[in-house]
Amino acid sequence: MTETVLITGASSGFGEACAKKFAQPGYQLLLTARRLDRLENLAAELRGKCPVQVAKLDVTEAGSIASFSNTLPADFKAVDILINNAGLALGLEPAQEAFLDDWETMIDTNIKGLIRMTRSVLPGMVERNHGHIINIASVAGSWPYPGGNAYGASKAFVQQFSRNLRCDLLGKHIRVTNIDPGMAETEFSNVRMKGDTEKADKVYENTQPLSATDIADIIYWVTTVPAHVNINTLEVMPVCQAWSAFAIDRKMND
Ligand code: NDP
Ligand code: 8X3
């Protein structure tokens, strides 16, 4: 049976690496993002390996998701694996200085986009009693850090939404997996630093971060364990990353 894999945010980073990983016999790919030119180039590269469809889709626009679903070719309508990957961080300012627009964009993309995609695909999975939803959250959803404010909170939503989906889907052959990557070198920091390449490069300076391929390999693996096995959540960091001691201010009472 050919599995249809729908990937959001397939134009770079984890999404693009997932497209390359799943591009093999037994799969067909639905690649979505806002940058259609990138998707078309990727599809041209992968079409020799498996069937690929691309669609411009902005997860922050409900209409974009509806028109995408309505225009899918009949043989691509039954999604077996949904990789809810589209997402972003904007800024690292402390909460009192952060831009409300940035917070709203993160919420619209990381939370509302992800639940819209899920709501659009899930009824079909339930009807067919078959499917796997993979939500990309982050270590930032579990562990606070300065400037993580709305980004981390949006990823905490994804983690709990993933667990709650499992409760609602009990009794169905539908799996839900939450993936929490740590520091990975993609376009993520460029987006977060709003195009300041120097600042973005500093994030990875003198480290060996995770690569997009590392994450794609993990995502592929969680879909290939036996059908009765559900990987609920998987947190992964590069070896060079760990936690730090509690921060304690010793000057406040001076
Ligand atoms: P990239 O910036 O390389 O990729 C992000 C992808 O999301 C792009 O393909 C982009 O496509 C897409 N995207 C952004 N906004 C929208 C939107 N409104 N509608 C549709 N697609 C959108 O970063 P990563 O690959 O690193 O990020 C992928 C996911 O992984 C994100 O959810 C991120 O939060 C998460 N993550 C990343 C980590 C890291 O260190 N890199 C660690 C932990 C989690 P386009 O612009 O073409 O629409
Ligand atoms: C991205 C990982 O640590 O930069 O979600 O927030 S981190």
Side-chain angles (χ1 to χ4, degrees):
M1 191 189 95
T2 299
E3 299 263 294
T4 301
V5 185
L6 166 52
I7 305 173
T8 66
S11 58
S12 76
F14 301 162
E16 179 184 354
C18 283
K20 291 180 176 166
K21 183 74 191 176
F22 281 93
Q24 51 177 293
Y27 296 96
Q28 56 177 14
L29 310 180
L30 265 170
L31 307 182
T32 69
R34 293 168 302 180
R35 288 171 292 179
L36 190 57
D37 53 332
R38 288 220 188 177
L39 296 179
E40 278 164 352
N41 289 338
L42 181 60
E45 182 188 329
L46 302 180
R47 275 202 182 101
K49 300 181 176 173
C50 74
V52 184
Q53 285 282 331
V54 299
K56 186 178 166 80
L57 190 157
D58 183 340
V59 298
T60 67
E61 289 176 12
S64 181
I65 295 176
S67 63
F68 156 76
S69 308
N70 292 336
T71 54
L72 281 179
D75 53 342
F76 274 80
K77 277 195 195 294
V79 173
D80 299 293
I81 299 172
L82 167 63
I83 305 179
N84 267 325
N85 163 74
L88 78 175
L90 289 171
L92 262 174
E93 295 83 4
Q96 66 276 18
E97 290 166 22
F99 298 95
L100 200 51
D101 277 356
D102 287 349
W103 283 7
E104 285 179 359
T105 303
M106 289 189 277
I107 289 165
D108 283 347
T109 313
N110 302 353
I111 297 181
K112 291 173 77 176
L114 183 139
I115 62 173
R116 281 192 192 108
M117 288 305 298
T118 304
R119 189 62 185 78
S120 140
V121 165
L122 198 51
M125 286 184 173
V126 169
E127 202 179 300
R128 294 184 297 278
N129 198 20
H130 175 77
H132 196 156
I133 296 177
I134 296 156
N135 292 330
I136 310 301
S138 168
V139 292
S142 306
W143 315 110
Y145 59 81
N149 43 65
Y151 176 68
S154 73
K155 294 302 191 174
F157 176 96
V158 175
Q159 295 170 342
Q160 190 67 347
F161 183 61
S162 304
R163 286 187 283 258
N164 281 336
L165 279 176
R166 288 229 57 227
C167 295
D168 290 350
L169 293 167
L170 189 67
K172 307 266 182 273
H173 291 289
I174 300 176
R175 301 190 283 189
V176 182
T177 300
N178 177 81
I179 309 273
D180 289 333
M183 181 176 67
E185 190 163 8
T186 60
E187 293 178 17
F188 176 84
S189 290
N190 234 301
V191 172
R192 183 172 227 173
M193 307 306 181
K194 302 175 181 173
D196 185 332
T197 314
E198 209 175 309
K199 268 195 194 164
D201 289 347
K202 277 241 171 300
V203 174
Y204 310 109
E205 201 172 69
N206 298 324
T207 70
Q208 183 175 3
L210 299 169
S211 68
T213 309
D214 293 330
I215 299 301
D217 287 350
I218 288 166
I219 291 172
Y220 180 75
W221 173 72
V222 304
T223 67
T224 50
V225 295
H228 68 285
V229 178
N230 192 98
I231 310 290
N232 294 335
T233 192
L234 197 154
E235 182 182 278
V236 50
M237 286 178 177
V239 174
C240 66
Q241 185 178 29
W243 304 270
S244 194
F246 285 121
I248 298 175
D249 183 279
R250 300 189 190 278
K251 293 193 203 103
M252 271 178 75
N253 297 328
D254 282 358

